[in-house]
């Protein structure tokens, strides 16, 4: 594991920053960061941009910065990277920070106004649009009907199907096996996470019967994959021909022209409790008008609750995939405390031990999510706090904006999805008794389940 610097996680970039505070991020310079002056292009003013913010060094300072409504995309020892609208950037400057605008995502040829773009731009066509994703899933279900089944668990605001795929031997039967959940794409611009879900679907079907670990897993577990929580946002992000840097869903807000709720601030556990989300519909981290107000959150919450059988939640472990920063995060996000109501020492130790083991296999940095900044209404807090599922958030590739930020080229997809294979298998394998991670299986799991 990498060494830690107090007040922030350590990355190569952070080390560079600390050596040379005055030097801007080299990659940003090389790509020609745009100047700070406002531009007159109307389209430009509508899109948020990324900024390097020098100054905040503690989780508390980052939480205060997040209260401007910007999203925090990277955390380093002496700087962060945010996505912010013009107003949010101004608010951050009001806090006394120096902001430097980073290059915008690569732009394809702008489409004619109103024209609907059907695919990702050149260099990104390996990513799956919603239609391509649907087709790929249907092909796999047709090819592997004995071990893969598809359910439509509900629809998004705009009416797109939200799917849950089940992988198991005897897939049509609800067997008494530990269940595991993988979710992806709460945030529209985090397209690599859909590829992660598709990778798992391909890997766990095509290797069944030939790969020992995969075979044992499907023989003894029921694995659920919800590959796309935010299909509307994902399609909106690509539909102009330029990446829009969109984060939220596409649900309108009453009394506002601003669209969308941040799904990862909308879950019904400690919703809006702790300055870890925004009440302003224009903000990146808008929590919505009430807990679970987003249809996508309702659909997945209902699905998770449906896995309570005879009073016992069958799902034991979970990962929600995001990008980016290469992190393994665990609850709680709403508090800086490691233990307290809803989190015993043994529970915390189980989270931390498992989280560090997974991080050792993929090279990510492990930490409690609130070490970054406070978040309330995030999915992992709900999965643990409300459903007692050992739930993690993975922030995938890259580690920084200089390597593509939210929009790395499609050439990285195979490597950066396979990179999480071992971590995913680990978490699925230990689902029968997560407390085995701390050697307390006899205390917590005696006579329960099967391995
Ligand atoms: O802010 C978020 O929702 C996540 N970062 S992202 O850049 N993908 O938006 C981090 C969430 C951390 N908090 C919890 N996992 N609770
Ligand atoms: Ca079951
Ligand atoms: Zn995210």
């Amino acid at each position: 594991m990498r060494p830690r610097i107090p007040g922030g996680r350590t990355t190569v970039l952070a080390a560079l920053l600390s050596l040379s505070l005055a030097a801007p991020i080299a990659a940003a310079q090389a790509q020609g960061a745009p100047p700070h002056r406002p531009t007159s292009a109307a389209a430009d003013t509508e899109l948020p941009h990324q900024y390097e913010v020098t100054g905040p060094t503690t989780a508390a300072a980052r939480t205060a910065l997040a209260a401007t409504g910007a999203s925090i995309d990277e955390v380093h020892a002496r700087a962060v990277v945010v996505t912010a609208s013009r107003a949010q950037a101004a608010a951050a400057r009001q806090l006394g920070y120096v902001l430097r605008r980073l290059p915008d995502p690569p732009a394809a040829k702008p489409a004619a106004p109103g024209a609907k773009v059907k695919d990702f731009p050149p260099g990104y066509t390996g990513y799956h649009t919603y239609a391509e994703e649907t087709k790929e899933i249907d092909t796999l279900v047709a090819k592997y009907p004995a071990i893969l089944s598809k359910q439509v668990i509900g629809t998004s605001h705009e009416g797109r199907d939200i799917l849950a795929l089940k992988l198991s031997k005897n897939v049509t039967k609800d067997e008494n096996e530990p269940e595991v959940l993988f979710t992806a794409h709460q945030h529209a611009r985090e397209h690599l996470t859909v590829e992660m879900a598709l990778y798992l679907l391909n890997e766990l079907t095509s290797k069944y019967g030939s790969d020992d670990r995969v075979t044992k897993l499907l023989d003894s577990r029921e694995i659920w994959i919800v590959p796309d929580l935010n299909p509307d946002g994902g399609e909106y992000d690509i539909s102009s021909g330029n990446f829009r840097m969109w984060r939220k869903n596409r649900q309108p807000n009453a009394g506002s022209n601003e669209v969308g709720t941040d799904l990862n601030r909308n879950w019904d556990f400690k919703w809006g409790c702790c300055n870890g989300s925004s009440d302003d519909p224009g903000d990146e981290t808008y929590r919505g008008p009430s807990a679970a107000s987003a249809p996508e959150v309702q659909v997945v919450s209902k699905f998770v609750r449906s896995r309570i059988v005879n009073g016992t939640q069958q799902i034991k472990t979970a990962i929600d995939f995001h990008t980016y920063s290469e992190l393994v995060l665990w609850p709680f996000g709403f508090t800086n405390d490691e233990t307290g109501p809803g989190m015993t020492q043994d529970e915390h130790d189980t989270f931390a031990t498992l989280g560090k083991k997974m991080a050792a296999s993929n090279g990510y940095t492990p930490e409690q999510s609130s070490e970054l900044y406070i978040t309330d209404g995030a999915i992992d807090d709900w999965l643990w706090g409300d459903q007692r599922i050992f739930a993690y958030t993975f922030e995938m590739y890259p580690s920084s904006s200089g390597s593509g930020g939210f929009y790395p080229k499609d050439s990285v997809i195979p490597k950066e999805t396979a990179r999480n294979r071992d971590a995913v298998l680990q978490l699925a394998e230990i689902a029968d008794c997560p407390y085995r991670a701390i050697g307390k299986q006899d205390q917590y799991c005696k006579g329960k389940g099967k391995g």
Side-chain angles (χ1 to χ4, degrees), residues 268-390:
D268 191 6
F269 179 78
K270 303 268 181 193
W271 177 82
C273 71
C274 304
N275 285 321
S277 57
S278 168
D279 65 1
D280 181 340
D283 283 352
E284 290 277 290
T285 53
Y286 177 52
R287 70 175 75 102
S290 57
S293 54
E296 298 85 359
V297 168
Q298 284 168 31
V299 164
V300 178
S301 302
K302 187 174 164 210
F303 167 73
V304 171
R305 287 199 189 93
S306 79
R307 298 316 306 148
I308 300 175
V309 177
N310 296 328
T312 303
Q313 174 56 260
Q314 301 297 298
I315 302 172
K316 304 299 179 190
T317 58
I319 299 173
D320 185 43
F321 288 100
H322 288 252
T323 69
Y324 62 95
S325 282
E326 300 185 0
L327 304 171
V328 171
L329 304 172
W330 57 82
F332 284 118
F334 80 87
T335 173
N336 290 309
D337 296 343
E338 290 190 348
T339 60
M343 183 73 78
T344 66
Q345 190 69 51
D346 280 351
E347 290 162 352
H348 167 267
D349 292 352
T350 299
F351 266 116
T353 304
L354 270 171
K356 286 172 190 175
K357 263 196 202 156
M358 291 192 287
S361 84
N362 63 12
Y364 292 4
T365 301
E367 63 191 342
Q368 183 173 328
S369 62
S370 53
E371 284 189 49
L372 293 174
Y373 46 88
I374 294 290
T375 50
D376 45 45
I379 187 173
D380 44 8
D381 276 19
W382 181 77
L383 286 171
W384 174 250
D386 198 72
Q387 298 291 313
R388 309 302 285 174
I389 296 167
F390 281 93

Side-chain angles (χ1 to χ4, degrees), residues 64-406:
L65 175 63
T68 62
S71 70
I72 298 189
D73 307 331
E74 290 177 47
V75 173
H76 302 281
R78 289 167 181 78
V80 302
V81 172
V82 300
T83 301
S85 67
R86 185 174 304 282
Q88 290 153 6
R93 289 195 175 97
Q94 281 297 310
L95 291 175
Y97 294 122
V98 174
L99 272 67
R100 194 172 59 80
R101 196 171 136 184
L102 298 176
D104 287 326
K109 252 195 224 120
K116 277 280 171 267
V117 171
K118 291 262 148 57
D119 201 356
F120 278 83
Y124 296 86
T125 54
Y127 286 91
H128 289 70
T129 65
Y130 181 74
E132 291 166 347
E133 173 194 338
T134 306
K135 200 175 154 209
E136 168 121 349
I137 289 167
D138 288 345
T139 302
L140 284 172
V141 171
K143 194 169 170 191
Y144 299 102
I147 52 168
L148 176 62
S149 77
K150 167 180 143 173
Q151 290 177 33
V152 177
I153 56 174
T155 53
S156 65
H157 171 75
E158 290 177 349
R160 293 184 178 87
D161 285 349
I162 297 177
L163 307 180
L165 288 307
K166 182 184 171 188
L167 290 138
S168 195
K169 184 187 176 188
N170 306 322
V171 71
T172 55
K173 279 195 220 146
D174 185 5
E175 298 181 303
N176 186 21
E177 296 169 328
E179 301 183 20
V180 184
L181 175 67
F182 300 103
T183 51
H185 206 204
Q186 287 202 73
H187 290 144
R189 60 193 169 215
E190 299 170 10
H191 301 284
L192 186 59
T193 65
V194 173
E195 304 308 317
M196 184 67 222
L198 293 174
Y199 165 81
L200 289 178
L201 287 170
N202 274 291
E203 187 71 11
L204 296 177
T205 49
S206 67
K207 303 267 171 82
Y208 181 73
S210 62
D211 180 292
D212 209 44
R213 221 174 152 189
V214 169
T215 307
K216 277 195 180 123
L217 199 69
L218 264 64
D219 284 349
S220 63
R221 302 282 180 271
E222 295 185 332
I223 300 182
W224 296 101
I225 298 180
V226 177
D228 199 340
L229 261 115
N230 187 5
D232 300 352
E235 289 293 286
Y236 179 72
D237 192 53
I238 63 171
S239 65
S240 75
N242 289 327
F243 291 126
R244 282 185 162 117
M245 286 286 287
W246 193 255
R247 172 179 171 95
K248 300 185 281 182
N249 74 353
R250 291 296 299 161
Q251 191 176 11
N253 291 305
S256 168
N257 290 324
E258 304 279 0
V259 173
T261 293
D262 182 350
L263 299 183
N264 208 29
R265 297 295 183 278
N266 190 239
W267 298 80
D268 191 6
F269 179 78
K270 303 268 181 193
W271 177 82
C273 71
C274 304
N275 285 321
S277 57
S278 168
D279 65 1
D280 181 340
D283 283 352
E284 290 277 290
T285 53
Y286 177 52
R287 70 175 75 102
S290 57
S293 54
E296 298 85 359
V297 168
Q298 284 168 31
V299 164
V300 178
S301 302
K302 187 174 164 210
F303 167 73
V304 171
R305 287 199 189 93
S306 79
R307 298 316 306 148
I308 300 175
V309 177
N310 296 328
T312 303
Q313 174 56 260
Q314 301 297 298
I315 302 172
K316 304 299 179 190
T317 58
I319 299 173
D320 185 43
F321 288 100
H322 288 252
T323 69
Y324 62 95
S325 282
E326 300 185 0
L327 304 171
V328 171
L329 304 172
W330 57 82
F332 284 118
F334 80 87
T335 173
N336 290 309
D337 296 343
E338 290 190 348
T339 60
M343 183 73 78
T344 66
Q345 190 69 51
D346 280 351
E347 290 162 352
H348 167 267
D349 292 352
T350 299
F351 266 116
T353 304
L354 270 171
K356 286 172 190 175
K357 263 196 202 156
M358 291 192 287
S361 84
N362 63 12
Y364 292 4
T365 301
E367 63 191 342
Q368 183 173 328
S369 62
S370 53
E371 284 189 49
L372 293 174
Y373 46 88
I374 294 290
T375 50
D376 45 45
I379 187 173
D380 44 8
D381 276 19
W382 181 77
L383 286 171
W384 174 250
D386 198 72
Q387 298 291 313
R388 309 302 285 174
I389 296 167
F390 281 93
Y392 292 83
T393 294
F394 276 25
E395 296 277 0
M396 295 177 67
Y397 179 90
S399 56
S400 73
S401 61
S403 307
F406 292 112

Side-chain angles (χ1 to χ4, degrees), residues 419-431:
R419 182 174 178 179
N420 287 315
R421 177 191 149 103
D422 185 74
V424 161
L425 291 176
Q426 279 188 45
L427 198 67
E429 285 164 352
I430 206 162

